[in-house]
mmCIF file of all heavy atoms in Angstrom:
data_model
loop_
_atom_site.group_PDB
_atom_site.id
_atom_site.type_symbol
_atom_site.label_atom_id
_atom_site.label_comp_id
_atom_site.label_asym_id
_atom_site.label_seq_id
_atom_site.Cartn_x
_atom_site.Cartn_y
_atom_site.Cartn_z
ATOM 1 N N ASP Q 29 -145.321 -4.124 135.035
ATOM 2 C CA ASP Q 29 -145.637 -2.910 134.243
ATOM 3 C C ASP Q 29 -146.523 -3.252 133.050
ATOM 4 O O ASP Q 29 -147.469 -2.518 132.746
ATOM 5 C CB ASP Q 29 -144.337 -2.227 133.752
ATOM 6 C CG ASP Q 29 -143.601 -1.524 134.875
ATOM 7 O OD1 ASP Q 29 -144.174 -1.313 135.964
ATOM 8 O OD2 ASP Q 29 -142.429 -1.187 134.676
ATOM 9 N N GLU Q 30 -146.215 -4.348 132.357
ATOM 10 C CA GLU Q 30 -147.005 -4.745 131.173
ATOM 11 C C GLU Q 30 -148.459 -5.045 131.548
ATOM 12 O O GLU Q 30 -149.345 -4.902 130.720
ATOM 13 C CB GLU Q 30 -146.385 -5.997 130.531
ATOM 14 C CG GLU Q 30 -145.106 -5.739 129.802
ATOM 15 C CD GLU Q 30 -144.413 -7.008 129.306
ATOM 16 O OE1 GLU Q 30 -144.907 -8.129 129.608
ATOM 17 O OE2 GLU Q 30 -143.383 -6.874 128.628
ATOM 18 N N ARG Q 31 -148.675 -5.443 132.786
ATOM 19 C CA ARG Q 31 -150.033 -5.799 133.232
ATOM 20 C C ARG Q 31 -150.655 -4.725 134.119
ATOM 21 O O ARG Q 31 -151.710 -4.915 134.704
ATOM 22 C CB ARG Q 31 -149.964 -7.142 133.950
ATOM 23 C CG ARG Q 31 -149.722 -8.283 132.963
ATOM 24 C CD ARG Q 31 -148.995 -9.430 133.618
ATOM 25 N NE ARG Q 31 -148.664 -10.485 132.678
ATOM 26 C CZ ARG Q 31 -147.584 -10.483 131.882
ATOM 27 N NH1 ARG Q 31 -146.749 -9.482 131.908
ATOM 28 N NH2 ARG Q 31 -147.349 -11.482 131.055
ATOM 29 N N ASN Q 32 -149.937 -3.588 134.242
ATOM 30 C CA ASN Q 32 -150.398 -2.495 135.108
ATOM 31 C C ASN Q 32 -150.753 -2.999 136.493
ATOM 32 O O ASN Q 32 -151.795 -2.655 137.057
ATOM 33 C CB ASN Q 32 -151.589 -1.767 134.487
ATOM 34 C CG ASN Q 32 -151.214 -1.076 133.198
ATOM 35 O OD1 ASN Q 32 -150.155 -0.468 133.100
ATOM 36 N ND2 ASN Q 32 -152.081 -1.181 132.206
ATOM 37 N N MET Q 33 -149.881 -3.834 137.063
ATOM 38 C CA MET Q 33 -150.158 -4.441 138.354
ATOM 39 C C MET Q 33 -149.259 -3.800 139.425
ATOM 40 O O MET Q 33 -148.044 -3.683 139.221
ATOM 41 C CB MET Q 33 -149.926 -5.951 138.307
ATOM 42 C CG MET Q 33 -150.379 -6.646 139.585
ATOM 43 S SD MET Q 33 -150.248 -8.444 139.517
ATOM 44 C CE MET Q 33 -151.436 -8.838 138.261
ATOM 45 N N SER Q 34 -149.856 -3.412 140.515
ATOM 46 C CA SER Q 34 -149.097 -2.831 141.619
ATOM 47 C C SER Q 34 -148.572 -3.925 142.545
ATOM 48 O O SER Q 34 -148.987 -5.081 142.477
ATOM 49 C CB SER Q 34 -149.996 -1.887 142.423
ATOM 50 O OG SER Q 34 -150.948 -2.641 143.146
ATOM 51 N N GLN Q 35 -147.663 -3.530 143.432
ATOM 52 C CA GLN Q 35 -147.147 -4.454 144.440
ATOM 53 C C GLN Q 35 -148.265 -4.984 145.328
ATOM 54 O O GLN Q 35 -148.276 -6.155 145.678
ATOM 55 C CB GLN Q 35 -146.069 -3.784 145.284
ATOM 56 C CG GLN Q 35 -144.809 -3.452 144.523
ATOM 57 C CD GLN Q 35 -143.786 -2.790 145.404
ATOM 58 O OE1 GLN Q 35 -143.655 -3.084 146.569
ATOM 59 N NE2 GLN Q 35 -143.005 -1.880 144.822
ATOM 60 N N VAL Q 36 -149.171 -4.117 145.678
ATOM 61 C CA VAL Q 36 -150.292 -4.502 146.550
ATOM 62 C C VAL Q 36 -151.156 -5.551 145.855
ATOM 63 O O VAL Q 36 -151.561 -6.543 146.453
ATOM 64 C CB VAL Q 36 -151.126 -3.252 146.944
ATOM 65 C CG1 VAL Q 36 -152.382 -3.652 147.692
ATOM 66 C CG2 VAL Q 36 -150.288 -2.295 147.784
ATOM 67 N N GLU Q 37 -151.443 -5.334 144.565
ATOM 68 C CA GLU Q 37 -152.257 -6.279 143.806
ATOM 69 C C GLU Q 37 -151.557 -7.635 143.675
ATOM 70 O O GLU Q 37 -152.166 -8.686 143.864
ATOM 71 C CB GLU Q 37 -152.581 -5.732 142.412
ATOM 72 C CG GLU Q 37 -153.515 -4.536 142.437
ATOM 73 C CD GLU Q 37 -153.603 -3.822 141.096
ATOM 74 O OE1 GLU Q 37 -152.575 -3.728 140.399
ATOM 75 O OE2 GLU Q 37 -154.712 -3.366 140.778
ATOM 76 N N LEU Q 38 -150.246 -7.612 143.380
ATOM 77 C CA LEU Q 38 -149.502 -8.842 143.243
ATOM 78 C C LEU Q 38 -149.457 -9.575 144.585
ATOM 79 O O LEU Q 38 -149.599 -10.785 144.643
ATOM 80 C CB LEU Q 38 -148.092 -8.572 142.737
ATOM 81 C CG LEU Q 38 -147.224 -9.802 142.469
ATOM 82 C CD1 LEU Q 38 -147.873 -10.741 141.458
ATOM 83 C CD2 LEU Q 38 -145.820 -9.379 141.995
ATOM 84 N N SER Q 39 -149.290 -8.829 145.654
ATOM 85 C CA SER Q 39 -149.271 -9.401 146.992
ATOM 86 C C SER Q 39 -150.603 -10.099 147.293
ATOM 87 O O SER Q 39 -150.614 -11.234 147.799
ATOM 88 C CB SER Q 39 -148.997 -8.334 148.035
ATOM 89 O OG SER Q 39 -149.090 -8.835 149.334
ATOM 90 N N ALA Q 40 -151.708 -9.457 146.951
ATOM 91 C CA ALA Q 40 -153.032 -10.015 147.211
ATOM 92 C C ALA Q 40 -153.254 -11.278 146.380
ATOM 93 O O ALA Q 40 -153.850 -12.254 146.871
ATOM 94 C CB ALA Q 40 -154.118 -8.989 146.912
ATOM 95 N N LEU Q 41 -152.802 -11.277 145.138
ATOM 96 C CA LEU Q 41 -152.998 -12.443 144.260
ATOM 97 C C LEU Q 41 -152.140 -13.642 144.634
ATOM 98 O O LEU Q 41 -152.528 -14.793 144.421
ATOM 99 C CB LEU Q 41 -152.706 -12.071 142.818
ATOM 100 C CG LEU Q 41 -153.720 -11.196 142.110
ATOM 101 C CD1 LEU Q 41 -153.191 -10.715 140.761
ATOM 102 C CD2 LEU Q 41 -155.024 -11.957 141.910
ATOM 103 N N THR Q 42 -150.965 -13.380 145.208
ATOM 104 C CA THR Q 42 -150.034 -14.474 145.493
ATOM 105 C C THR Q 42 -150.008 -14.906 146.956
ATOM 106 O O THR Q 42 -149.557 -16.014 147.253
ATOM 107 C CB THR Q 42 -148.583 -14.048 145.114
ATOM 108 O OG1 THR Q 42 -148.236 -12.895 145.885
ATOM 109 C CG2 THR Q 42 -148.461 -13.788 143.631
ATOM 110 N N GLY Q 43 -150.451 -14.025 147.836
ATOM 111 C CA GLY Q 43 -150.332 -14.308 149.262
ATOM 112 C C GLY Q 43 -148.926 -14.033 149.807
ATOM 113 O O GLY Q 43 -148.605 -14.351 150.931
ATOM 114 N N ILE Q 44 -148.089 -13.422 148.971
ATOM 115 C CA ILE Q 44 -146.734 -13.041 149.374
ATOM 116 C C ILE Q 44 -146.781 -11.619 149.908
ATOM 117 O O ILE Q 44 -147.451 -10.774 149.319
ATOM 118 C CB ILE Q 44 -145.782 -13.123 148.170
ATOM 119 C CG1 ILE Q 44 -145.699 -14.565 147.626
ATOM 120 C CG2 ILE Q 44 -144.384 -12.609 148.534
ATOM 121 C CD1 ILE Q 44 -144.985 -14.685 146.300
ATOM 122 N N GLY Q 45 -146.114 -11.378 151.010
ATOM 123 C CA GLY Q 45 -146.163 -10.044 151.631
ATOM 124 C C GLY Q 45 -145.655 -8.941 150.715
ATOM 125 O O GLY Q 45 -144.732 -9.157 149.899
ATOM 126 N N LYS Q 46 -146.236 -7.757 150.866
ATOM 127 C CA LYS Q 46 -145.831 -6.609 150.062
ATOM 128 C C LYS Q 46 -144.352 -6.288 150.250
ATOM 129 O O LYS Q 46 -143.648 -5.933 149.318
ATOM 130 C CB LYS Q 46 -146.688 -5.379 150.360
ATOM 131 C CG LYS Q 46 -146.404 -4.203 149.448
ATOM 132 C CD LYS Q 46 -147.112 -2.955 149.915
ATOM 133 C CE LYS Q 46 -146.598 -1.720 149.220
ATOM 134 N NZ LYS Q 46 -145.182 -1.463 149.411
ATOM 135 N N SER Q 47 -143.872 -6.440 151.474
ATOM 136 C CA SER Q 47 -142.453 -6.146 151.733
ATOM 137 C C SER Q 47 -141.548 -7.119 150.980
ATOM 138 O O SER Q 47 -140.479 -6.729 150.480
ATOM 139 C CB SER Q 47 -142.156 -6.186 153.229
ATOM 140 O OG SER Q 47 -142.423 -7.470 153.754
ATOM 141 N N SER Q 48 -141.957 -8.378 150.872
ATOM 142 C CA SER Q 48 -141.190 -9.360 150.105
ATOM 143 C C SER Q 48 -141.169 -9.004 148.627
ATOM 144 O O SER Q 48 -140.118 -9.031 147.968
ATOM 145 C CB SER Q 48 -141.748 -10.768 150.288
ATOM 146 O OG SER Q 48 -141.580 -11.196 151.615
ATOM 147 N N ILE Q 49 -142.329 -8.628 148.092
ATOM 148 C CA ILE Q 49 -142.425 -8.198 146.690
ATOM 149 C C ILE Q 49 -141.488 -7.010 146.450
ATOM 150 O O ILE Q 49 -140.748 -6.980 145.466
ATOM 151 C CB ILE Q 49 -143.864 -7.817 146.308
ATOM 152 C CG1 ILE Q 49 -144.842 -8.944 146.586
ATOM 153 C CG2 ILE Q 49 -143.935 -7.303 144.866
ATOM 154 C CD1 ILE Q 49 -145.010 -9.987 145.551
ATOM 155 N N SER Q 50 -141.491 -6.049 147.386
ATOM 156 C CA SER Q 50 -140.633 -4.898 147.266
ATOM 157 C C SER Q 50 -139.154 -5.294 147.239
ATOM 158 O O SER Q 50 -138.362 -4.760 146.455
ATOM 159 C CB SER Q 50 -140.898 -3.937 148.432
ATOM 160 O OG SER Q 50 -140.044 -2.842 148.387
ATOM 161 N N GLN Q 51 -138.779 -6.244 148.086
ATOM 162 C CA GLN Q 51 -137.391 -6.700 148.097
ATOM 163 C C GLN Q 51 -137.024 -7.439 146.829
ATOM 164 O O GLN Q 51 -135.900 -7.322 146.338
ATOM 165 C CB GLN Q 51 -137.158 -7.595 149.327
ATOM 166 C CG GLN Q 51 -137.172 -6.810 150.616
ATOM 167 C CD GLN Q 51 -136.983 -7.697 151.836
ATOM 168 O OE1 GLN Q 51 -136.973 -8.921 151.739
ATOM 169 N NE2 GLN Q 51 -136.844 -7.060 153.009
ATOM 170 N N TYR Q 52 -137.974 -8.188 146.237
ATOM 171 C CA TYR Q 52 -137.716 -8.867 144.965
ATOM 172 C C TYR Q 52 -137.498 -7.830 143.864
ATOM 173 O O TYR Q 52 -136.617 -7.971 143.023
ATOM 174 C CB TYR Q 52 -138.863 -9.791 144.570
ATOM 175 C CG TYR Q 52 -139.233 -10.862 145.573
ATOM 176 C CD1 TYR Q 52 -140.511 -11.396 145.595
ATOM 177 C CD2 TYR Q 52 -138.301 -11.354 146.483
ATOM 178 C CE1 TYR Q 52 -140.845 -12.387 146.502
ATOM 179 C CE2 TYR Q 52 -138.644 -12.352 147.401
ATOM 180 C CZ TYR Q 52 -139.914 -12.853 147.405
ATOM 181 O OH TYR Q 52 -140.273 -13.841 148.299
ATOM 182 N N LEU Q 53 -138.308 -6.794 143.880
ATOM 183 C CA LEU Q 53 -138.204 -5.746 142.845
ATOM 184 C C LEU Q 53 -136.906 -4.944 142.956
ATOM 185 O O LEU Q 53 -136.355 -4.527 141.951
ATOM 186 C CB LEU Q 53 -139.407 -4.797 142.937
ATOM 187 C CG LEU Q 53 -140.723 -5.345 142.400
ATOM 188 C CD1 LEU Q 53 -141.889 -4.486 142.815
ATOM 189 C CD2 LEU Q 53 -140.665 -5.465 140.878
ATOM 190 N N SER Q 54 -136.437 -4.757 144.164
ATOM 191 C CA SER Q 54 -135.193 -3.990 144.364
ATOM 192 C C SER Q 54 -133.948 -4.853 144.119
ATOM 193 O O SER Q 54 -132.859 -4.330 144.006
ATOM 194 C CB SER Q 54 -135.126 -3.422 145.766
ATOM 195 O OG SER Q 54 -134.951 -4.449 146.728
ATOM 196 N N GLY Q 55 -134.151 -6.158 144.052
ATOM 197 C CA GLY Q 55 -133.029 -7.066 143.894
ATOM 198 C C GLY Q 55 -132.336 -7.411 145.181
ATOM 199 O O GLY Q 55 -131.317 -8.114 145.201
ATOM 200 N N LYS Q 56 -132.893 -6.946 146.297
ATOM 201 C CA LYS Q 56 -132.290 -7.203 147.605
ATOM 202 C C LYS Q 56 -132.367 -8.692 147.959
ATOM 203 O O LYS Q 56 -131.437 -9.247 148.503
ATOM 204 C CB LYS Q 56 -132.996 -6.366 148.658
ATOM 205 C CG LYS Q 56 -132.376 -6.443 150.031
ATOM 206 C CD LYS Q 56 -133.015 -5.489 151.009
ATOM 207 C CE LYS Q 56 -132.365 -5.552 152.363
ATOM 208 N NZ LYS Q 56 -132.921 -4.597 153.291
ATOM 209 N N ASN Q 57 -133.486 -9.311 147.626
ATOM 210 C CA ASN Q 57 -133.711 -10.736 147.844
ATOM 211 C C ASN Q 57 -134.275 -11.380 146.598
ATOM 212 O O ASN Q 57 -134.918 -10.699 145.792
ATOM 213 C CB ASN Q 57 -134.697 -10.974 149.005
ATOM 214 C CG ASN Q 57 -134.076 -10.726 150.364
ATOM 215 O OD1 ASN Q 57 -132.894 -10.919 150.559
ATOM 216 N ND2 ASN Q 57 -134.894 -10.243 151.276
#
């Protein structure tokens, strides 16, 4: 939020799948 970064942008920068980012954000994984 502080960097106005979306899940898609973070996924592209890290090479980590968007679904994984989503699970990290939800606390599921």
Side-chain angles (χ1 to χ4, degrees):
D29 287 345
E30 287 173 356
R31 289 151 184 83
N32 295 318
M33 188 176 294
S34 70
Q35 292 180 35
V36 173
E37 292 168 323
L38 184 58
S39 175
L41 287 170
T42 61
I44 298 169
K46 185 188 167 301
S47 61
S48 294
I49 304 275
S50 177
Q51 290 178 352
Y52 303 154
L53 285 166
S54 70
K56 186 174 182 177
N57 286 327

